[in-house]
Amino acid sequence: MEKYKAKLLENIRKQLQSWYKVTEEINGKELDKFLHSLAGTAPTIGLQKIGDAANLLMKKYKEIPEEMWSAESIQQFLSPLLAVAYDEDAVDLKGEALSKKYTPEEKDLIMLIDDDPALLIYLKDKLENEGFTVMAFTEAKKALKAFFDLDPSCVIIDVHMQEKSGLEILEEFKRYTNFRFIPAVMISVDDSKETRMKSYQLDADDFIPKPFEMDELIVRVRRLVTKKKHLKELIMLDELTRVYTRKHLSPSFKRIAEQMNREQQPFSAAMIDLDHFKSINDTYGHLMGDRVLAGFANLLKQNLRTGDLPFRYGGEEFLILFPRTDVKTASLVLNRVLNRFMDHPFETDGESFRVSFSAGVSAACLSEGLENTVKAADHALYKAKQTGRAKTIAAEALAPIEAVRKKLRFAVVDDDPIIRTILQDLFQNSSLNEKFLLDVQAFEDGLQFLQSEWHLKDPESSSFIVLDGMMPEIDGIEVLKVIRSLKHQERFTVVMLTNRTSEEDITTALKLGADDYLTKPFKLAEIESRIFHLIKKISS
Amino acid sequence: MARLLLAEDEEVLRMLVSDTLEDDGHEIDEACDGEEALNKIMAHDYDLIVLDYMMPVFTGLEVIVKVRAIPEKKHSMILMLSAKSQVSDQRAAMDAGADYFMAKPFSPIQLSEKIEEILK
């Protein structure tokens, strides 16, 4: 049956390719015929789900009156079917079930640092089968940089690496993470007492000698990840800034809002965002960035009044609840904080710099709820940013406001029309829409992508590229090289699609600056999970 | 062993059916549309003709009508395949002169059993 399945999928690809290539409209009869033959053939060769999806679309097709179709409308119409087709293909080749319903938040992220690609790929595979998301790094430098954006649940480091010893990496990691608990697991072929002692002295949380039993490694890693989770829940405070985590915002808001409602007292909320924080990270490093965040939080706590409640909202954003306070008073308090903060120098290598913040204040009340209150404060904050930063602006009224969304660009570069279609659809219809203004484009190959100059346009926006490694004319590696040679290359997050068997390609891709890789065939859920984690990086 | 003509425009299904029947020990000729089917029917004698309902150039129905109109071919044994499992299709096929009918999707084993039964 495998041979027929492969042939059927190949024929689907050919049909799509031909539709996507034509510029004139396509007669709906062609589409109907395509669905018709799929409905008949797919179940016969064991692809029941594709048959079902085709039948469903045939019914839907009958309800749509239009006779002519554009390539885009066909693409959109067929995407549910293609997603099923692709997943069925992936499952067949990997021999895994797709039944588990997937939610991205549930997956814990593990960072893996190892310069031996064989072990790297093996470990990543096994751990992902266990439900973790794994980001692999062959270089310590990149791993350390990414660490801040990714905020992993556990780090696994190989002791023996060529460029830099794993122990040195461990030391740096622990130095970077001195505020928070990120479990670090060392793996090593050298099981000598000296290496073990050194690892533990440098605060490794576990040491696993090679060769190891995979199931034991998984248990030991999972144990640490769970411990971290429990700890996080226990302390309620953000590990770095020691203010409340966002998780506690909603219950606190409700409690205070109800009380203020009973007492007929005013209640305000403010959204704060540190100014130019990204450039602090870029100029002075993430460690300094962390120090600024911690320093700001500290100053905030000292200068707020008893009863004012600060929360870390995310990244460099803080939210403050002011019970028994009107907007005007809250603004005064914030201006005092701002003046003191701007007076506070941060020292680094003999250099000193100052940081400011922008804030938006809004009235809060029970009936508007947290969401609208935050929206209004956010909008005022946006105004403060637009009009020169380092200031506090009060929201005029709690009128419904269109959220201010950052632009996020996606490019899918793959010669497989199925992958192009399903990924385009996945991104366009993802929950990212709420937070970002999405711009999704697909390209048939590296040449078309480079010629479109997509990578040269819109240099202000964050950009996400899914890049197929193997393509005719110009392959993914070449495109990656071009992207990484650009001036603003760090705004691109690149996920490479590679072949399972090609260790060399994976290593090359990682070395050339791919942020992650996925082996084909992948499951749609996998790519969703990657994006969920990598987006943190983009939005920070 | 029998000699069969398989007229089916869907490539994968044609491959599958043809492989299945060959495994059963039959000799299979293939056609991709109604016209090719008709040409082959004229040139050879088949023990069974397997026709798809929806095909380019001539549909399965049209092929049946034409075959039944040719005196020396009109007793050919014909099995009609159709993805439309509605009763109306089956009736239309039978009215036009098909001897047997099989609804898609079918499993290769079902088809192979059906053909053994017909050829008996």
Side-chain angles (χ1 to χ4, degrees), chain A residues 251-268:
Chain A
S252 302
F253 181 89
K254 198 164 167 273
R255 184 171 46 77
I256 296 171
E258 274 165 5
Q259 202 183 343
M260 293 307 109
N261 203 27
R262 275 197 304 276
E263 296 175 14
Q264 292 288 304
Q265 289 274 352
F267 173 29
S268 314

Side-chain angles (χ1 to χ4, degrees), chain A residues 3-4 7 11 41 44, chain B residues 9-12 16 19 106:
Chain A
K3 153 176 142 197
Y4 308 116
K7 187 75 195 165
N11 286 355
T41 307
T44 304
Chain B
D9 62 324
E10 218 291 300
E11 189 189 0
V12 176
L16 172 72
D19 288 354
F106 46 77

Side-chain angles (χ1 to χ4, degrees), chain A residues 110 112 117-137 156 214 217 495-496 506 510 515-519 526 530:
Chain A
I110 294 178
L112 186 57
L119 187 68
L120 192 85
I121 293 163
Y122 173 74
L123 267 174
K124 186 171 150 101
D125 248 26
K126 292 287 176 198
L127 287 165
E128 291 195 331
N129 280 343
E130 290 296 317
F132 295 107
T133 293
V134 180
M135 298 279 181
F137 296 87
I156 300 175
M214 200 58 219
L217 182 130
V495 175
M496 287 288 277
I506 293 172
L510 289 173
D515 293 278
D516 197 9
Y517 71 89
L518 265 178
T519 46
E526 279 181 55
R530 289 324 158 70

Side-chain angles (χ1 to χ4, degrees), chain A residues 374-526:
Chain A
V374 167
K375 256 191 203 167
D378 227 6
H379 194 71
L381 165 63
Y382 181 70
K383 258 199 253 167
K385 290 269 184 194
Q386 291 285 308
T387 54
R389 298 187 171 87
K391 62 169 80 167
T392 303
I393 283 189
E396 317 263 295
L398 278 176
I401 287 151
E402 173 64 15
V404 186
R405 293 181 298 173
K406 262 198 231 173
K407 193 170 175 189
L408 181 56
R409 302 163 80 223
F410 278 96
V412 178
V413 191
D414 198 314
D415 55 336
D416 180 347
I418 294 189
I419 293 188
R420 283 205 306 276
T421 309
I422 57 179
L423 289 186
Q424 232 180 320
D425 187 61
L426 180 79
F427 296 147
Q428 235 138 23
N429 298 314
S430 69
S431 59
L432 292 170
N433 255 317
E434 292 159 20
K435 214 178 154 197
F436 297 98
L437 202 62
L438 298 181
D439 171 11
V440 187
Q441 285 190 48
F443 302 92
E444 260 173 54
D445 53 45
L447 190 65
Q448 197 194 54
F449 172 76
L450 292 177
Q451 277 173 350
S452 78
E453 304 197 330
W454 184 92
H455 56 298
L456 303 176
K457 288 172 192 159
D458 209 352
E460 293 294 309
S461 302
S462 297
S463 304
F464 198 103
I465 306 172
V466 180
L467 195 52
D468 185 16
M470 289 260 290
M471 285 183 293
E473 307 275 353
I474 297 178
D475 68 14
I477 294 288
E478 293 304 314
V479 175
L480 182 61
K481 275 187 203 160
V482 172
I483 288 167
R484 288 301 177 219
S485 70
L486 296 173
K487 195 174 159 220
H488 298 290
Q489 60 91 11
E490 67 283 348
R491 76 193 174 97
F492 295 100
T493 302
V494 182
V495 175
M496 287 288 277
L497 302 178
T498 62
N499 272 324
R500 172 149 299 257
T501 44
S502 175
E503 277 179 18
E504 221 174 286
D505 285 359
I506 293 172
T507 319
T508 315
L510 289 173
K511 284 235 156 85
L512 284 172
D515 293 278
D516 197 9
Y517 71 89
L518 265 178
T519 46
K520 279 186 178 184
F522 52 82
K523 288 187 285 178
L524 277 182
E526 279 181 55

